[in-house]
Each structure stands twice: as structure tokens, then as C-alpha cells.
PDB file of all heavy atoms in Angstrom:
ATOM      1  N   THR A  76      49.576 -67.296  24.708  1.00  0.00           N
ATOM      2  CA  THR A  76      48.448 -67.942  25.176  1.00  0.00           C
ATOM      3  C   THR A  76      47.535 -68.506  23.960  1.00  0.00           C
ATOM      4  O   THR A  76      47.122 -69.614  23.870  1.00  0.00           O
ATOM      5  CB  THR A  76      47.464 -67.050  25.884  1.00  0.00           C
ATOM      6  OG1 THR A  76      48.202 -66.460  27.047  1.00  0.00           O
ATOM      7  CG2 THR A  76      46.171 -67.677  26.356  1.00  0.00           C
ATOM      8  N   GLN A  77      47.460 -67.773  22.911  1.00  0.00           N
ATOM      9  CA  GLN A  77      46.657 -68.135  21.713  1.00  0.00           C
ATOM     10  C   GLN A  77      47.316 -69.383  20.991  1.00  0.00           C
ATOM     11  O   GLN A  77      46.630 -70.084  20.306  1.00  0.00           O
ATOM     12  CB  GLN A  77      46.517 -67.003  20.719  1.00  0.00           C
ATOM     13  CG  GLN A  77      45.714 -65.855  21.282  1.00  0.00           C
ATOM     14  CD  GLN A  77      46.687 -64.761  21.919  1.00  0.00           C
ATOM     15  OE1 GLN A  77      47.718 -65.136  22.484  1.00  0.00           O
ATOM     16  NE2 GLN A  77      46.326 -63.486  21.725  1.00  0.00           N
ATOM     17  N   GLN A  78      48.582 -69.589  21.254  1.00  0.00           N
ATOM     18  CA  GLN A  78      49.251 -70.617  20.569  1.00  0.00           C
ATOM     19  C   GLN A  78      49.724 -71.775  21.535  1.00  0.00           C
ATOM     20  O   GLN A  78      50.555 -72.509  21.130  1.00  0.00           O
ATOM     21  CB  GLN A  78      50.430 -70.102  19.758  1.00  0.00           C
ATOM     22  CG  GLN A  78      50.119 -69.016  18.697  1.00  0.00           C
ATOM     23  CD  GLN A  78      51.215 -68.274  18.143  1.00  0.00           C
ATOM     24  OE1 GLN A  78      52.243 -68.316  18.756  1.00  0.00           O
ATOM     25  NE2 GLN A  78      51.098 -67.916  16.914  1.00  0.00           N
ATOM     26  N   ALA A  79      48.994 -71.862  22.711  1.00  0.00           N
ATOM     27  CA  ALA A  79      49.548 -72.768  23.728  1.00  0.00           C
ATOM     28  C   ALA A  79      49.423 -74.226  23.196  1.00  0.00           C
ATOM     29  O   ALA A  79      50.237 -75.081  23.631  1.00  0.00           O
ATOM     30  CB  ALA A  79      48.740 -72.567  24.957  1.00  0.00           C
ATOM     31  N   ALA A  80      48.483 -74.455  22.298  1.00  0.00           N
ATOM     32  CA  ALA A  80      48.243 -75.869  21.833  1.00  0.00           C
ATOM     33  C   ALA A  80      49.528 -76.185  21.079  1.00  0.00           C
ATOM     34  O   ALA A  80      49.855 -77.524  20.888  1.00  0.00           O
ATOM     35  CB  ALA A  80      47.075 -75.995  21.085  1.00  0.00           C
ATOM     36  N   ARG A  81      50.179 -75.356  20.387  1.00  0.00           N
ATOM     37  CA  ARG A  81      51.419 -75.601  19.696  1.00  0.00           C
ATOM     38  C   ARG A  81      52.622 -75.332  20.495  1.00  0.00           C
ATOM     39  O   ARG A  81      53.122 -74.326  20.569  1.00  0.00           O
ATOM     40  CB  ARG A  81      51.387 -74.779  18.396  1.00  0.00           C
ATOM     41  CG  ARG A  81      50.209 -74.989  17.449  1.00  0.00           C
ATOM     42  CD  ARG A  81      50.311 -73.896  16.374  1.00  0.00           C
ATOM     43  NE  ARG A  81      51.397 -74.009  15.509  1.00  0.00           N
ATOM     44  CZ  ARG A  81      51.781 -73.234  14.470  1.00  0.00           C
ATOM     45  NH1 ARG A  81      51.030 -72.132  14.353  1.00  0.00           N
ATOM     46  NH2 ARG A  81      52.867 -73.496  13.850  1.00  0.00           N
ATOM     47  N   ALA A  82      52.921 -76.301  21.374  1.00  0.00           N
ATOM     48  CA  ALA A  82      53.797 -76.081  22.481  1.00  0.00           C
ATOM     49  C   ALA A  82      55.239 -75.533  22.209  1.00  0.00           C
ATOM     50  O   ALA A  82      56.156 -75.415  23.110  1.00  0.00           O
ATOM     51  CB  ALA A  82      53.910 -77.461  23.194  1.00  0.00           C
ATOM     52  N   ASP A  83      55.537 -75.301  20.946  1.00  0.00           N
ATOM     53  CA  ASP A  83      56.796 -74.708  20.667  1.00  0.00           C
ATOM     54  C   ASP A  83      56.849 -73.250  20.360  1.00  0.00           C
ATOM     55  O   ASP A  83      57.837 -72.640  19.957  1.00  0.00           O
ATOM     56  CB  ASP A  83      57.475 -75.493  19.480  1.00  0.00           C
ATOM     57  CG  ASP A  83      56.567 -75.339  18.193  1.00  0.00           C
ATOM     58  OD1 ASP A  83      55.315 -74.866  18.384  1.00  0.00           O
ATOM     59  OD2 ASP A  83      57.088 -75.602  17.052  1.00  0.00           O
ATOM     60  N   ARG A  84      55.682 -72.536  20.456  1.00  0.00           N
ATOM     61  CA  ARG A  84      55.633 -71.195  20.202  1.00  0.00           C
ATOM     62  C   ARG A  84      55.785 -70.316  21.415  1.00  0.00           C
ATOM     63  O   ARG A  84      55.014 -70.439  22.409  1.00  0.00           O
ATOM     64  CB  ARG A  84      54.299 -70.824  19.426  1.00  0.00           C
ATOM     65  CG  ARG A  84      54.121 -71.515  18.105  1.00  0.00           C
ATOM     66  CD  ARG A  84      55.125 -71.267  17.133  1.00  0.00           C
ATOM     67  NE  ARG A  84      55.195 -69.803  16.875  1.00  0.00           N
ATOM     68  CZ  ARG A  84      54.484 -69.226  15.896  1.00  0.00           C
ATOM     69  NH1 ARG A  84      53.646 -69.979  15.077  1.00  0.00           N
ATOM     70  NH2 ARG A  84      54.648 -67.995  15.504  1.00  0.00           N
ATOM     71  N   HIS A  85      56.865 -69.439  21.377  1.00  0.00           N
ATOM     72  CA  HIS A  85      57.084 -68.713  22.599  1.00  0.00           C
ATOM     73  C   HIS A  85      57.683 -67.277  22.145  1.00  0.00           C
ATOM     74  O   HIS A  85      57.950 -67.095  21.131  1.00  0.00           O
ATOM     75  CB  HIS A  85      58.062 -69.295  23.572  1.00  0.00           C
ATOM     76  CG  HIS A  85      59.333 -69.614  23.100  1.00  0.00           C
ATOM     77  ND1 HIS A  85      59.735 -70.891  22.488  1.00  0.00           N
ATOM     78  CD2 HIS A  85      60.529 -68.822  23.004  1.00  0.00           C
ATOM     79  CE1 HIS A  85      60.988 -70.721  22.016  1.00  0.00           C
ATOM     80  NE2 HIS A  85      61.447 -69.587  22.313  1.00  0.00           N
ATOM     81  N   VAL A  86      57.627 -66.313  23.175  1.00  0.00           N
ATOM     82  CA  VAL A  86      58.078 -65.098  22.830  1.00  0.00           C
ATOM     83  C   VAL A  86      59.073 -64.702  24.019  1.00  0.00           C
ATOM     84  O   VAL A  86      58.882 -65.227  25.165  1.00  0.00           O
ATOM     85  CB  VAL A  86      56.991 -64.011  22.686  1.00  0.00           C
ATOM     86  CG1 VAL A  86      56.132 -64.323  21.467  1.00  0.00           C
ATOM     87  CG2 VAL A  86      56.076 -63.870  24.055  1.00  0.00           C
ATOM     88  N   TYR A  87      59.906 -63.721  23.851  1.00  0.00           N
ATOM     89  CA  TYR A  87      60.785 -63.074  24.908  1.00  0.00           C
ATOM     90  C   TYR A  87      60.083 -61.703  25.121  1.00  0.00           C
ATOM     91  O   TYR A  87      59.658 -61.030  24.288  1.00  0.00           O
ATOM     92  CB  TYR A  87      62.062 -62.958  24.375  1.00  0.00           C
ATOM     93  CG  TYR A  87      62.877 -64.285  24.215  1.00  0.00           C
ATOM     94  CD1 TYR A  87      62.898 -64.861  22.969  1.00  0.00           C
ATOM     95  CD2 TYR A  87      63.488 -64.803  25.365  1.00  0.00           C
ATOM     96  CE1 TYR A  87      63.523 -66.054  22.691  1.00  0.00           C
ATOM     97  CE2 TYR A  87      64.060 -66.108  25.130  1.00  0.00           C
ATOM     98  CZ  TYR A  87      64.109 -66.765  23.896  1.00  0.00           C
ATOM     99  OH  TYR A  87      64.777 -67.957  23.703  1.00  0.00           O
ATOM    100  N   ALA A  88      60.178 -61.439  26.497  1.00  0.00           N
ATOM    101  CA  ALA A  88      59.573 -60.091  26.927  1.00  0.00           C
ATOM    102  C   ALA A  88      60.304 -59.616  28.159  1.00  0.00           C
ATOM    103  O   ALA A  88      60.972 -60.435  28.755  1.00  0.00           O
ATOM    104  CB  ALA A  88      58.095 -60.264  27.281  1.00  0.00           C
ATOM    105  N   GLY A  89      60.224 -58.303  28.340  1.00  0.00           N
ATOM    106  CA  GLY A  89      60.745 -57.727  29.455  1.00  0.00           C
ATOM    107  C   GLY A  89      59.773 -57.335  30.517  1.00  0.00           C
ATOM    108  O   GLY A  89      58.612 -57.546  30.325  1.00  0.00           O
ATOM    109  N   ARG A  90      60.317 -56.776  31.643  1.00  0.00           N
ATOM    110  CA  ARG A  90      59.433 -56.424  32.657  1.00  0.00           C
ATOM    111  C   ARG A  90      58.387 -55.377  32.262  1.00  0.00           C
ATOM    112  O   ARG A  90      58.509 -54.649  31.359  1.00  0.00           O
ATOM    113  CB  ARG A  90      60.313 -55.735  33.750  1.00  0.00           C
ATOM    114  CG  ARG A  90      59.587 -55.260  35.023  1.00  0.00           C
ATOM    115  CD  ARG A  90      60.518 -54.517  35.958  1.00  0.00           C
ATOM    116  NE  ARG A  90      60.887 -53.200  35.389  1.00  0.00           N
ATOM    117  CZ  ARG A  90      62.186 -52.927  35.222  1.00  0.00           C
ATOM    118  NH1 ARG A  90      63.195 -53.680  35.589  1.00  0.00           N
ATOM    119  NH2 ARG A  90      62.502 -51.583  34.786  1.00  0.00           N
ATOM    120  N   THR A  91      57.203 -55.518  32.875  1.00  0.00           N
ATOM    121  CA  THR A  91      56.020 -54.676  32.474  1.00  0.00           C
ATOM    122  C   THR A  91      56.482 -53.225  32.451  1.00  0.00           C
ATOM    123  O   THR A  91      57.260 -52.715  33.248  1.00  0.00           O
ATOM    124  CB  THR A  91      54.874 -54.812  33.293  1.00  0.00           C
ATOM    125  OG1 THR A  91      53.887 -53.836  33.080  1.00  0.00           O
ATOM    126  CG2 THR A  91      55.281 -54.543  34.762  1.00  0.00           C
ATOM    127  N   ARG A  92      55.910 -52.370  31.454  1.00  0.00           N
ATOM    128  CA  ARG A  92      56.210 -51.077  31.311  1.00  0.00           C
ATOM    129  C   ARG A  92      55.670 -50.233  32.388  1.00  0.00           C
ATOM    130  O   ARG A  92      56.031 -49.195  32.621  1.00  0.00           O
ATOM    131  CB  ARG A  92      55.581 -50.515  30.100  1.00  0.00           C
ATOM    132  CG  ARG A  92      54.061 -50.358  30.038  1.00  0.00           C
ATOM    133  CD  ARG A  92      53.478 -50.273  28.633  1.00  0.00           C
ATOM    134  NE  ARG A  92      53.527 -51.306  27.781  1.00  0.00           N
ATOM    135  CZ  ARG A  92      53.013 -51.411  26.609  1.00  0.00           C
ATOM    136  NH1 ARG A  92      52.466 -50.315  26.080  1.00  0.00           N
ATOM    137  NH2 ARG A  92      53.169 -52.424  25.825  1.00  0.00           N
ATOM    138  N   PHE A  93      54.777 -50.862  33.292  1.00  0.00           N
ATOM    139  CA  PHE A  93      54.266 -50.078  34.404  1.00  0.00           C
ATOM    140  C   PHE A  93      55.149 -49.956  35.573  1.00  0.00           C
ATOM    141  O   PHE A  93      54.937 -49.167  36.529  1.00  0.00           O
ATOM    142  CB  PHE A  93      52.886 -50.714  34.798  1.00  0.00           C
ATOM    143  CG  PHE A  93      51.883 -50.848  33.783  1.00  0.00           C
ATOM    144  CD1 PHE A  93      51.110 -51.904  33.647  1.00  0.00           C
ATOM    145  CD2 PHE A  93      51.683 -49.811  32.942  1.00  0.00           C
ATOM    146  CE1 PHE A  93      50.200 -52.026  32.634  1.00  0.00           C
ATOM    147  CE2 PHE A  93      50.603 -49.845  31.968  1.00  0.00           C
ATOM    148  CZ  PHE A  93      50.005 -51.017  31.755  1.00  0.00           C
ATOM    149  N   ILE A  94      56.334 -50.684  35.501  1.00  0.00           N
ATOM    150  CA  ILE A  94      57.263 -50.485  36.501  1.00  0.00           C
ATOM    151  C   ILE A  94      58.640 -49.993  35.989  1.00  0.00           C
ATOM    152  O   ILE A  94      59.299 -50.817  35.272  1.00  0.00           O
ATOM    153  CB  ILE A  94      57.526 -51.837  37.322  1.00  0.00           C
ATOM    154  CG1 ILE A  94      56.299 -52.309  38.003  1.00  0.00           C
ATOM    155  CG2 ILE A  94      58.733 -51.657  38.354  1.00  0.00           C
ATOM    156  CD1 ILE A  94      56.361 -53.690  38.651  1.00  0.00           C
ATOM    157  N   ASP A  95      58.831 -48.689  36.005  1.00  0.00           N
ATOM    158  CA  ASP A  95      60.017 -48.157  35.200  1.00  0.00           C
ATOM    159  C   ASP A  95      61.332 -48.376  36.102  1.00  0.00           C
ATOM    160  O   ASP A  95      61.173 -49.010  37.232  1.00  0.00           O
ATOM    161  CB  ASP A  95      59.897 -46.633  34.960  1.00  0.00           C
ATOM    162  CG  ASP A  95      59.749 -45.747  36.147  1.00  0.00           C
ATOM    163  OD1 ASP A  95      60.128 -46.315  37.296  1.00  0.00           O
ATOM    164  OD2 ASP A  95      59.141 -44.694  35.967  1.00  0.00           O
ATOM    165  N   THR A  96      62.497 -48.007  35.569  1.00  0.00           N
ATOM    166  CA  THR A  96      63.632 -48.366  36.215  1.00  0.00           C
ATOM    167  C   THR A  96      63.741 -47.623  37.665  1.00  0.00           C
ATOM    168  O   THR A  96      64.276 -48.339  38.636  1.00  0.00           O
ATOM    169  CB  THR A  96      64.864 -47.756  35.398  1.00  0.00           C
ATOM    170  OG1 THR A  96      64.800 -48.378  34.120  1.00  0.00           O
ATOM    171  CG2 THR A  96      66.176 -48.163  36.044  1.00  0.00           C
ATOM    172  N   ALA A  97      63.291 -46.466  37.866  1.00  0.00           N
ATOM    173  CA  ALA A  97      63.224 -45.828  39.179  1.00  0.00           C
ATOM    174  C   ALA A  97      62.379 -46.570  40.153  1.00  0.00           C
ATOM    175  O   ALA A  97      62.726 -46.734  41.222  1.00  0.00           O
ATOM    176  CB  ALA A  97      62.814 -44.395  39.050  1.00  0.00           C
ATOM    177  N   ASP A  98      61.216 -46.921  39.622  1.00  0.00           N
ATOM    178  CA  ASP A  98      60.367 -47.747  40.552  1.00  0.00           C
ATOM    179  C   ASP A  98      60.776 -49.198  40.865  1.00  0.00           C
ATOM    180  O   ASP A  98      60.636 -49.613  41.928  1.00  0.00           O
ATOM    181  CB  ASP A  98      58.926 -47.739  39.884  1.00  0.00           C
ATOM    182  CG  ASP A  98      58.228 -46.471  39.699  1.00  0.00           C
ATOM    183  OD1 ASP A  98      58.633 -45.590  40.454  1.00  0.00           O
ATOM    184  OD2 ASP A  98      57.384 -46.362  38.781  1.00  0.00           O
ATOM    185  N   ALA A  99      61.551 -49.762  39.873  1.00  0.00           N
ATOM    186  CA  ALA A  99      62.066 -51.134  40.166  1.00  0.00           C
ATOM    187  C   ALA A  99      63.064 -51.053  41.288  1.00  0.00           C
ATOM    188  O   ALA A  99      63.381 -52.018  41.913  1.00  0.00           O
ATOM    189  CB  ALA A  99      62.722 -51.619  38.900  1.00  0.00           C
ATOM    190  N   ALA A 100      63.692 -49.939  41.527  1.00  0.00           N
ATOM    191  CA  ALA A 100      64.657 -49.719  42.577  1.00  0.00           C
ATOM    192  C   ALA A 100      64.094 -49.996  43.926  1.00  0.00           C
ATOM    193  O   ALA A 100      64.908 -50.129  44.897  1.00  0.00           O
ATOM    194  CB  ALA A 100      65.464 -48.531  42.484  1.00  0.00           C
ATOM    195  N   ARG A 101      62.873 -49.828  44.057  1.00  0.00           N
ATOM    196  CA  ARG A 101      62.035 -49.983  45.214  1.00  0.00           C
ATOM    197  C   ARG A 101      62.014 -51.466  45.734  1.00  0.00           C
ATOM    198  O   ARG A 101      61.609 -51.728  46.819  1.00  0.00           O
ATOM    199  CB  ARG A 101      60.819 -49.368  45.299  1.00  0.00           C
ATOM    200  CG  ARG A 101      60.796 -47.840  45.022  1.00  0.00           C
ATOM    201  CD  ARG A 101      59.447 -47.258  44.748  1.00  0.00           C
ATOM    202  NE  ARG A 101      59.274 -45.907  44.439  1.00  0.00           N
ATOM    203  CZ  ARG A 101      59.195 -44.792  45.322  1.00  0.00           C
ATOM    204  NH1 ARG A 101      59.191 -45.162  46.644  1.00  0.00           N
ATOM    205  NH2 ARG A 101      59.169 -43.794  44.976  1.00  0.00           N
ATOM    206  N   PHE A 102      62.262 -52.385  44.807  1.00  0.00           N
ATOM    207  CA  PHE A 102      62.108 -53.778  45.067  1.00  0.00           C
ATOM    208  C   PHE A 102      63.379 -54.508  45.368  1.00  0.00           C
ATOM    209  O   PHE A 102      64.509 -53.908  44.977  1.00  0.00           O
ATOM    210  CB  PHE A 102      61.494 -54.497  43.755  1.00  0.00           C
ATOM    211  CG  PHE A 102      60.099 -54.124  43.517  1.00  0.00           C
ATOM    212  CD1 PHE A 102      59.785 -53.136  42.657  1.00  0.00           C
ATOM    213  CD2 PHE A 102      59.008 -54.925  43.807  1.00  0.00           C
ATOM    214  CE1 PHE A 102      58.468 -52.711  42.361  1.00  0.00           C
ATOM    215  CE2 PHE A 102      57.834 -54.693  43.447  1.00  0.00           C
ATOM    216  CZ  PHE A 102      57.552 -53.570  42.752  1.00  0.00           C
TER     217      PHE A 102
END
């Protein structure tokens, strides 16, 4: 977000830590 004006800056991320593997199985 802070670098949105520089349209080439991005990051890779995974699923939020608030949904662990066991909880993800409910979806």
C-alpha cells in the first residue's frame, strides 16, 4: 500500500496466520 504509486513494488504472502491448517479444512 505505501508504495502503490510505484506500480512495480509488490510482495508475496501466504494465507493469514489467523486461519491455520486445521481451520482451513473447514472451507
Side-chain angles (χ1 to χ4, degrees):
T76 302
Q77 295 94 322
Q78 299 171 333
R81 303 172 61 186
D83 58 343
R84 299 300 300 272
H85 61 268
V86 298
Y87 290 93
R90 183 183 68 233
T91 175
R92 71 190 71 178
F93 300 138
I94 300 176
D95 62 21
T96 302
D98 296 337
R101 300 173 183 268
F102 290 84

